[in-house]
Amino acid sequence: MSLVASVGRATIRQVEYVGLLAIQFWHGLRLSLRVNPFAGRRLRWKRALEQMAEIGVRSLPVLCVVSGATGMIMALQSGAELRKFGAMDAIINLVGTSMTRELGPLIAAIVVIGRSGSAISAEVATMVVTEEVDALRAMALDPLDFVLVPKYLAMLVTMPCVTVMGVFSGILAGGVFAHFTLDITLLMYLQRTVEILLMRDILSGLVKALVFGSIIVHVGCLEGFLVTGGPEGVGRSTTSAVVKSIFLVILADLLCTAFFYFFWR
């Protein structure tokens, strides 16, 4: 096979994958809008609440540690350079805006991918291998309604919440550094951070959290539905879900940042 043919086939496969992802997103969004607690869908909401605890609550310890370490590293590295120019006060601006706009949502997404995105793919792939999904189709039931929708609703609710906690952990860790280097209290540091943050900084971070959460759950479910083979296929689908989720999240972060920079300033 020539190089041109190999590149062409790989490109077609990736375009087909994006198309499947877009179709699943639209179908899952349409099903999610129909779900409400007054339409006899209590079992579905119970499952969604279980997923919220799994995705959000159990991810908080790791997320807070990682975000806090990132905020401290940022403060240390920027402080070493800003000290040369006598602009140590700029650490507050740098840590606050960077964690709110970029690093907070991105770190939260990567932690959720590693902890929950892989679990979603493995769970769905196992259901496909054990023919549970085929059983749902045999009963004229939509697998997306039972498998995807609870996870999607849980991700949309919990992803902004864990992002806020990650941002707060990073800012708080930067405040510890500022307390020992700038000789200011933690309360003064937090007040200064609130003053410099704009509403568009907060909203941009929350929008990114929703976008990242949608990518994580849809990629995880799609990789599970496309699994082939036995247990080895489950492992391959889980690995593929993590790799593709990280790639698409970073690409979406770039597109969102470019959009906010050019159209929302």
Side-chain angles (χ1 to χ4, degrees), residues 34-259:
R34 283 176 17 199
V35 174
N36 63 80
F38 306 103
R41 302 286 185 93
R42 289 177 295 179
L43 180 61
R44 234 64 62 78
W45 276 97
K46 179 181 178 181
R47 180 59 176 164
L49 291 175
E50 293 174 354
Q51 290 294 319
M52 290 179 192
E54 183 66 28
I55 296 171
V57 177
R58 294 186 175 92
S59 300
L60 284 178
V62 177
L63 174 62
C64 291
V65 172
V66 174
S67 297
T70 303
M72 182 66 73
I73 292 171
M74 185 183 304
L76 288 169
Q77 293 290 352
S78 60
E81 297 299 323
L82 292 174
R83 184 180 289 110
K84 301 176 183 178
F85 304 98
M88 291 293 287
D89 291 342
I91 294 176
I92 302 175
N93 300 43
L94 180 63
V95 174
T97 55
S98 298
M99 290 299 302
T100 305
R101 292 180 186 176
E102 294 293 336
L103 291 178
L106 190 59
I107 292 172
I110 292 175
V111 170
V112 172
I113 288 171
R115 196 190 182 284
S116 300
S118 57
I120 290 173
S121 178
E123 178 185 347
V124 178
T126 303
M127 293 179 65
V128 173
V129 171
T130 57
E131 300 182 351
E132 294 181 40
V133 174
D134 292 335
L136 291 174
R137 293 194 179 101
M139 293 185 291
L141 298 175
D142 191 347
L144 292 181
D145 199 9
F146 284 83
V147 178
L148 172 65
V149 171
K151 294 177 173 57
Y152 189 33
L153 293 175
M155 188 69 75
L156 291 180
V157 173
T158 56
M159 197 64 190
C161 297
V162 298
T163 299
V164 170
M165 292 302 299
V167 170
F168 180 75
S169 300
I171 292 176
L172 193 64
V176 174
F177 174 79
H179 174 70
F180 291 103
T181 57
L182 303 179
D183 196 23
I184 62 174
T185 64
L186 188 59
L187 181 60
M188 293 174 58
Y189 172 85
L190 294 177
Q191 290 176 345
R192 176 69 183 276
T193 302
V194 172
E195 292 174 358
I196 64 171
L197 288 179
L198 302 176
M199 183 56 65
R200 67 169 177 263
D201 299 331
I202 301 172
L203 291 179
S204 63
L206 294 178
V207 169
K208 287 182 180 181
L210 292 175
V211 174
F212 297 164
S214 299
I215 291 174
I216 294 168
V217 70
H218 281 287
V219 171
C221 287
L222 182 59
E223 288 295 328
F225 285 127
L226 296 178
V227 67
T228 56
E232 293 182 357
V234 176
R236 287 195 300 268
S237 69
T238 303
T239 303
S240 179
V242 172
V243 173
K244 291 180 179 178
S245 295
I246 293 176
F247 173 77
L248 291 177
V249 161
I250 294 176
L251 182 60
D253 185 33
L254 173 61
L255 296 177
C256 289
T257 302
F259 175 81

